[in-house]
Amino acid sequence: MAGGAARELEAILDAAVDPIIACGPDEHILHVNAATERLLGWDREQLLGRPVTDLFPLRLHRFHGLSLPRYLLSRRRALGGRPTRVFARRRDGVELLVEMTVGASGTDGWERIVLTLRRLHEVIDSLEEPVEHIPGGPDVASPPETADRLYRLLVENAPLGIFHFDRMPIITACNERFAGVIGTSKRNLVGLNLLTLQDERIMACVRESLAGRPCDYEGNYRSVTSGKETPVRVRFAPCYAEDGSVEGGVGIVEDITERRRVEAEREENLAQLDLLFRGAPVGIGFLDTRLRYVRVNETLARINGIPAEAHVGHTLPELLGEPGAIAVQGPAYVLRTGEPLVDQESTSDDDLGAPGPRRWFRGNFYPVRTPDGRVLGVGVLVEDITERRRAEEERAQLYREAREAVRVRDDFLSIASHELKTPLTPLSLRLATLERRLERGEQLEPSVLRHARHQLTRLTGLINDLLDASRIEAGRLALHPEATRFDLLVEHMLGSLEAQKGNHTFEFERPPEPISVHGDTFRLEQVVSNLLENALKYSPDGGTIRVRLSLSDDLALLSVTDPGIGIPEDQQQQLFDRYFRARNASTRSYGGLGLGLYISRDIVERHGGRIWVESTPGRGSTFYVALPTLSAARPALPQVWPDRHLH
């Protein structure tokens, strides 16, 4: 009986998943199982007879004058059977956090103490009270054991359900824990033939253990007697007789209801997190401690321009060559300091090395930690803020344009009031002079009328420019095209300005053959007149105004060159804008509303031509007008031409 119980005890101990240690009243080790050897790195023979305190750090040897096992036994009722978290010490000195349950049976010299351990991975120090090290006594040989008594102690105090069966196979014994898991009484379980169960997998495991092979079962066990269905995990192991033959088996049963619930909840949470991870509108990735990608979502894959599966196992430089500082140094900073790095803006070309048009990103890097604080890697969140940045830039541009428009408006109102008053004042004086002379019956001088008429013409021109600019903006500037001798038109305009040229001279160069265009004679005269008047106005010191007309590839090319003040290069593109005046031309020295070139550009472009300028500040300017000749021009020009281009 004793030998059989000892063998069954050894089978139970070695089949148990958790480490089990049995001690005598002097707290020296009497029995350990294979799980203890695996966990603590000791051979069984090395542990037998040693003080159990050797399996714990020095700081845990004494509590309130008691050894650790005695202290936990004294608090067994207060703990209510709950395990206590302590540190166990491996043979190599490494400390492991375990949950320990302590039970005892017998009295005096026959007392037995049983310790059951379960390893935890979270580092939680639940015994923080300072301890006093009391050296253990000398090794004492174990007194003779009563295997039956130790066997019953282990079985009844085991944290798992245990049952035994013979070769029939009929359950011959079980503990209360097993009866509780199944949901019936030990009386109903003892004597149950396992082959009568309707679960083929359980019967297969029974046959395997009776054949000498351990076997595992996991599933929902439905009790034959009570009908209760319980999720269980069962470890089947054979029991051997003294001659080495299998005389039965043992089953160690764990109720995994809570584990199933936790796993189901975890799977649900993981599914939700996976959905969020994959469908998030921001790029999400995880890097290990070597800064190699473990996982990325599709958004981050699109940002990097590389499939998600191609990221795994690679660093960012391996994927993108040489990305910028933030992309590489950000995760490295997090690993080095353990601190997050947030709101780091970068661009696709400068910092990430990603292909395609330039984009803007905002990156956040966070340390990913285990519950005990150990850093597993770096979490990466990348948000594409390109549209936001473009919207901000667009708003900023609109704001600048609005401010510029307000400035242009204010400048225009100031210039317009000045320009309109300029001819009105002398005109009013001339008319007052005429009125006085008429009242006195004096003879009128032609020069007075001529000057009054000149001021009136100037005022009319300013008003017409304003009207033309308004018509252009509305798309209603009418053209009346016809066959026009462009060379004669230029010659006529030069002649009409003879009285205004002052100390300037005109030099006109033209080809011998006539040049005809299909255009509005009045509007083309307006363009040529504007260019000639500007040449005279912005050449205050006189000089030669060179006018050249030539033919080139069915184009009539007119150029007007003056020796004037010139135009700064950064303002030449704006010269044809409405109300624009070059900064080097003051309002008082050079009159005008800034509309002449704006109107001229519209007229030229609506004739199918182009107008532009070449200039050097202080050395004069050359304005060019290119128009298609009559043979190359369209038969008719549209009245409205909304697609106007700047030059």
Side-chain angles (χ1 to χ4, degrees):
M1 177 63 182
R7 287 190 296 274
E8 287 185 359
L9 172 60
E10 184 178 354
I12 292 171
L13 289 173
D14 287 336
V17 176
D18 295 326
I20 298 175
I21 306 165
C23 305
D26 57 357
E27 299 181 27
H28 284 64
I29 298 173
L30 301 178
H31 294 280
V32 296
N33 64 348
T36 305
E37 295 179 292
R38 291 191 298 270
L39 177 66
L40 302 181
W42 295 82
D43 292 335
R44 187 172 311 185
E45 292 75 14
Q46 295 172 324
L47 288 176
L48 296 180
R50 297 180 67 94
V52 73
T53 53
D54 288 354
L55 305 183
F56 302 99
L58 292 176
R59 66 180 183 276
L60 300 182
H61 284 191
R62 307 293 291 183
F63 286 88
H64 301 290
L66 300 175
S67 67
L68 178 59
R70 294 290 182 187
Y71 175 73
L72 294 178
L73 281 173
S74 69
R75 293 181 48 81
R76 188 176 184 186
R77 178 172 298 179
L79 292 172
R82 296 188 305 274
T84 301
R85 290 180 176 179
V86 299
F87 283 100
R89 187 174 65 87
R90 287 173 49 90
R91 184 182 181 186
D92 55 11
V94 175
E95 294 186 7
L96 306 174
L97 187 67
V98 298
E99 283 187 343
M100 184 168 71
T101 305
V102 180
S105 175
T107 58
D108 300 330
W110 296 103
E111 183 185 30
R112 297 294 179 263
I113 302 173
V114 178
L115 291 78
T116 304
L117 308 179
R118 175 172 294 182
R119 181 179 180 181
L120 296 177
H121 296 284
E122 298 83 7
V123 177
I124 303 174
D125 192 353
S126 60
L127 294 178
E128 299 178 349
E129 180 184 354
V131 297
E132 176 186 358
H133 172 56
I134 299 178
D139 292 343
V140 179
S142 302
E145 287 293 319
T146 302
D148 287 336
R149 190 175 299 172
L150 182 58
Y151 164 75
R152 286 192 297 271
L153 176 63
L154 288 172
V155 169
E156 290 303 326
N157 288 279
L160 302 175
I162 299 175
F163 66 93
H164 300 273
F165 55 92
D166 57 20
R167 295 194 59 84
M168 294 300 291
I170 294 175
I171 295 178
T172 58
C174 67
N175 64 357
E176 290 292 344
R177 179 69 175 170
F178 175 66
V181 170
I182 299 303
T184 186
S185 65
K186 293 172 63 174
R187 179 179 300 179
N188 291 332
L189 291 172
V190 175
L192 176 67
N193 191 327
L194 295 176
L195 295 181
T196 62
L197 300 178
Q198 299 177 358
D199 193 316
E200 287 293 336
R201 291 188 300 140
I202 289 182
M203 291 189 287
C205 287
V206 171
R207 296 187 185 99
E208 284 290 306
S209 60
L210 292 176
R213 294 182 292 270
C215 186
D216 291 318
Y217 166 87
E218 184 171 323
N220 295 328
Y221 172 74
R222 184 178 182 83
S223 173
V224 176
T225 56
S226 66
K228 177 185 176 183
E229 190 171 278
T230 306
V232 295
R233 182 180 184 275
V234 185
R235 173 69 170 176
F236 288 90
C239 289
Y240 296 93
E242 291 183 355
D243 59 1
S245 62
V246 176
E247 63 178 12
V250 61
I252 301 178
V253 183
E254 179 184 5
D255 185 343
I256 60 172
T257 303
E258 181 63 18
R259 193 187 79 183
R260 286 274 186 88
R261 186 193 65 78
V262 171
E263 288 178 350
E265 184 177 322
R266 182 184 62 186
E267 291 297 326
E268 181 179 352
N269 291 337
L270 288 177
Q272 294 173 356
L273 289 174
D274 186 67
L275 176 62
L276 177 62
F277 180 86
R278 289 186 289 105
V282 298
I284 304 175
F286 175 69
L287 303 169
D288 62 19
T289 53
R290 297 180 300 164
L291 297 182
R292 296 186 179 275
Y293 278 108
V294 176
R295 190 181 181 190
V296 300
N297 67 351
E298 291 297 331
T299 304
L300 185 57
R302 286 194 298 270
I303 289 174
N304 291 339
I306 298 173
E309 59 274 8
H311 285 72
V312 179
H314 296 283
T315 64
L316 197 59
E318 291 174 353
L319 296 170
L320 299 179
E322 293 296 331
I326 292 178
V328 175
Q329 295 179 9
Y333 170 86
V334 173
L335 279 184
R336 185 175 65 255
T337 65
E339 298 294 330
L341 192 64
V342 299
D343 294 337
Q344 301 297 305
E345 292 196 4
S346 59
T347 58
S348 57
D349 49 357
D350 295 336
D351 292 312
L352 293 183
R358 191 178 198 191
R359 293 172 294 165
W360 284 263
F361 303 102
R362 176 172 291 139
N364 297 275
F365 308 95
Y366 300 93
V368 179
R369 303 178 184 274
T370 60
D372 62 0
R374 182 168 54 90
V375 176
L376 291 176
V378 179
V380 179
L381 297 179
V382 180
E383 181 184 5
D384 190 334
I385 59 172
T386 302
E387 294 303 321
R388 187 188 312 168
R389 285 294 298 271
R390 287 175 179 169
E392 291 173 356
E393 291 179 355
E394 184 176 349
R395 286 194 296 270
Q397 178 65 21
L398 291 174
Y399 177 72
R400 289 192 296 270
E401 291 176 355
R403 293 188 60 182
E404 179 64 17
V406 171
R407 186 195 64 77
V408 170
R409 181 203 64 186
D410 293 342
D411 290 349
F412 168 73
L413 291 176
S414 175
I415 294 170
S417 62
H418 171 75
E419 290 296 316
L420 291 173
K421 287 179 181 178
T422 299
L424 281 175
T425 300
L427 178 60
S428 177
L429 292 174
R430 300 294 180 187
L431 291 176
T433 301
L434 289 174
E435 184 179 16
R436 287 193 300 271
R437 289 185 178 182
L438 287 173
E439 289 176 351
R440 293 195 297 264
E442 297 178 1
Q443 185 178 359
L444 300 178
E445 296 179 4
S447 61
V448 177
L449 292 174
R450 188 166 55 252
H451 286 129
R453 185 173 179 275
H454 173 72
Q455 299 300 333
L456 182 61
T457 302
R458 182 178 176 186
L459 181 61
T460 302
L462 291 172
I463 294 173
N464 285 338
D465 282 349
L466 287 172
L467 291 174
D468 285 346
S470 177
R471 293 187 186 106
I472 289 172
E473 285 302 305
R476 295 196 301 269
L477 184 66
L479 296 178
H480 304 284
E482 59 183 357
T484 302
R485 284 283 300 273
F486 192 51
D487 53 335
L488 297 180
L489 183 148
V490 175
E491 187 175 1
H492 169 71
M493 295 309 302
L494 287 169
S496 68
L497 294 175
E498 281 293 327
Q500 303 178 28
K501 69 179 183 179
N503 59 347
H504 296 83
T505 57
F506 288 131
E507 182 181 292
F508 183 38
E509 179 184 346
R510 52 177 288 186
E513 68 273 13
I515 299 177
S516 298
V517 297
H518 187 73
D520 187 313
T521 302
F522 172 73
R523 293 300 181 185
L524 291 179
E525 286 179 348
Q526 189 176 354
V527 172
V528 176
S529 175
N530 181 270
L531 296 181
L532 294 174
E533 288 178 354
N534 281 349
L536 295 173
K537 180 167 58 175
Y538 293 105
S539 302
D541 299 328
T544 301
I545 308 298
R546 292 180 174 82
V547 181
R548 185 173 184 270
L549 183 62
S550 61
L551 280 174
S552 176
D553 298 331
D554 293 330
L555 285 176
L557 181 63
L558 172 68
S559 64
V560 178
T561 304
D562 65 69
I565 62 174
I567 305 161
E569 184 177 357
D570 62 337
Q571 300 176 34
Q572 293 177 18
Q573 294 296 322
Q574 302 170 266
L575 199 61
F576 297 92
D577 291 348
R578 184 173 58 165
Y579 307 136
F580 181 80
R581 295 170 57 87
R583 305 288 187 270
N584 62 337
S586 66
T587 304
R588 296 191 177 276
S589 301
Y590 305 95
L593 298 175
L595 293 174
L597 292 176
Y598 169 72
I599 296 170
S600 298
R601 184 200 67 181
D602 187 80
I603 293 172
V604 170
E605 289 187 349
R606 293 181 62 195
H607 278 80
R610 180 175 174 237
I611 184 172
W612 70 96
V613 65
E614 295 176 358
S615 179
T616 302
R619 300 181 61 181
S621 305
T622 300
F623 285 83
Y624 296 91
V625 174
L627 294 171
T629 60
L630 184 62
S631 59
R634 299 179 180 181
L637 294 175
Q639 293 300 307
V640 178
W641 196 325
D643 185 18
R644 297 185 295 276
H645 302 278
L646 300 180
H647 295 269

